[in-house]
Amino acid sequence: MTHPFRAALLAACSIAAAFGLGGPALAAYPDKPIKVVVGFPAGGPLDQHARLLADKLQAVLGQPLIIDYKPGAGGSVGADAVAKSPADGYTLMLANTGVAVINGALYSKLPYNTQRDFVPIARTAMQPLALLVTPKLPVQNLKQFVDYARARPGQVNYGSAGNGGISHLVPEMFKTATGIFMVHIPYRGSAPAFTDLMAGQVQFMAESIPQAASYHKQGKVRALAVTSRERNPALPDIPTVIESGVKGFEVVGFYGFFAPKDTPREVVAKLGDAFRQVLTSPEVRERMVSQGADPAYLGSEDFARFLAAETPRWDKAVKASGARMD
């Protein structure tokens, strides 16, 4: 190659890079605001999580993250919108367990497939639950409850925030693990379910830690166990389900960020590293715990492996419950 030709080629490459003609991987990312789609109304737990991380990510990435609410069909409306967005790193999805791994079994005509239509960026949190009973029940620990329910098949009811959600499926998994039979009573949200649990209209419930811990400490409900592998700081005296004798029972929800498939690997890596940095902040970790989400970072590849393992577990739970949403 002659020297003049080589010089001209280098100049052309410089011009292409300057104008972004070398593709997304060569462009300066990010150079404009990033949109984070939340498939639920403002004010809920997912929104709180998005806002907490968005504030801190702006300092790391140098661009604001704008929360865009697209509620509907258990988060499916928002997920479908993100799946059809340009794969340039400027439209992301914050998903919970339902959106990422439950909806595929719950909806027969789901417009997206998590593992086909998205690339995982980072898992940011895990959500353990507490197993609760009404104080009116004559049990003090989980073993006593299992014995009580086993002696009364079909006479013990459990409440949930609605069909197909995590508060419905975790008790179904618990039923399978212990061989007990309880009757599901779905409510429109956790608040009315808690009201009936406190009154003894339902006897059992699985619910997120902050609310469960608050009611437990007030004596309005009785926490018997937590569903994580380790005890929870908000309920330090409450054993895990595994400690209570149910071998291998660890079931927790999670939050994670996704981008449309074919998003450049360099962009995914940069976003993943930004999440990793933010999640090391003691302030962020403390606030997340207060919101009921334990910091639990996984990068893109590890998050993908986690999803591949979790999806069949939740598929099985949905099928066992008989829940359908269409």
Side-chain angles (χ1 to χ4, degrees):
M1 185 182 292
T2 64
H3 178 74
F5 185 76
R6 183 167 61 250
L9 180 60
L10 289 171
C13 289
S14 298
I15 293 170
F19 285 92
L21 300 179
L26 294 181
Y29 174 86
D31 60 4
K32 62 181 181 180
I34 299 168
K35 180 168 66 177
V36 176
V37 173
V38 174
F40 298 90
L46 211 60
D47 179 32
Q48 292 178 0
H49 190 71
R51 288 180 178 277
L52 171 60
L53 295 183
D55 290 344
K56 302 299 181 182
L57 284 163
Q58 179 171 341
V60 176
L61 292 169
Q63 292 290 339
L65 275 76
I66 300 168
I67 313 301
D68 184 15
Y69 306 100
K70 294 186 182 296
S76 299
V77 172
D80 185 39
V82 175
K84 294 173 180 174
S85 297
D88 56 8
Y90 291 100
T91 303
L92 309 179
M93 172 176 71
L94 170 56
N96 60 11
T97 314
V99 174
V101 297
I102 294 176
N103 283 355
L106 204 56
Y107 293 85
S108 61
K109 297 180 180 178
L110 198 67
Y112 69 93
N113 178 285
T114 301
Q115 296 184 52
R116 180 194 67 211
D117 296 328
F118 299 98
V119 56
I121 296 172
R123 188 188 73 183
T124 51
M126 300 288 272
Q127 290 178 292
L129 283 78
L131 302 186
L132 312 168
V133 293
T134 175
K136 298 180 183 295
L137 219 60
V139 300
Q140 300 299 321
N141 57 52
L142 194 63
K143 183 181 184 307
Q144 289 179 3
F145 173 74
V146 170
D147 291 341
Y148 179 91
R150 187 170 286 137
R152 297 165 179 80
Q155 297 178 40
V156 175
N157 300 328
Y158 76 90
S160 79
N163 279 315
I166 192 168
S167 64
H168 172 200
L169 299 178
V170 169
E172 289 295 323
M173 291 176 170
F174 183 69
K175 284 167 58 177
T176 299
T178 58
I180 63 175
F181 175 58
M182 297 185 289
V183 178
H184 177 218
I185 309 294
Y187 291 82
R188 296 195 175 198
S190 61
F194 260 113
T195 298
D196 275 7
L197 180 69
M198 289 185 283
Q201 299 301 314
V202 294
Q203 291 78 46
F204 182 85
M205 191 172 169
E207 190 50 75
S208 62
I209 296 289
Q211 195 170 14
S214 175
Y215 284 129
H216 170 77
K217 289 170 183 175
Q218 296 174 47
K220 294 180 178 179
V221 302
R222 183 174 297 135
L224 300 182
V226 294
T227 63
S228 48
R229 184 164 292 275
E230 297 178 352
R231 294 193 181 196
N232 191 276
L235 291 166
D237 297 328
I238 303 302
T240 67
V241 179
I242 295 173
E243 283 182 90
S244 303
V246 185
K247 186 177 180 181
F249 192 93
E250 178 190 10
V251 184
V252 292
F254 64 90
Y255 291 154
F257 284 78
F258 297 79
K261 67 174 182 179
D262 299 327
T263 297
R265 292 174 62 183
E266 294 87 347
V267 170
V268 172
K270 186 164 188 177
L271 286 167
D273 187 62
F275 281 106
R276 182 189 59 76
Q277 291 182 53
V278 166
L279 288 171
T280 63
S281 162
E283 177 194 353
V284 170
R285 296 176 71 86
E286 183 178 339
R287 288 183 59 190
M288 280 177 63
V289 170
S290 72
Q291 294 174 358
D294 294 341
Y297 173 80
L298 285 180
S300 181
E301 292 183 2
D302 288 336
F303 190 19
R305 283 190 283 269
F306 171 82
L307 291 166
E310 284 291 289
T311 300
R313 292 184 72 198
W314 292 98
D315 282 353
K316 184 178 179 181
V318 171
K319 288 172 184 173
S321 74
R324 300 299 297 175
M325 296 301 289
D326 51 13

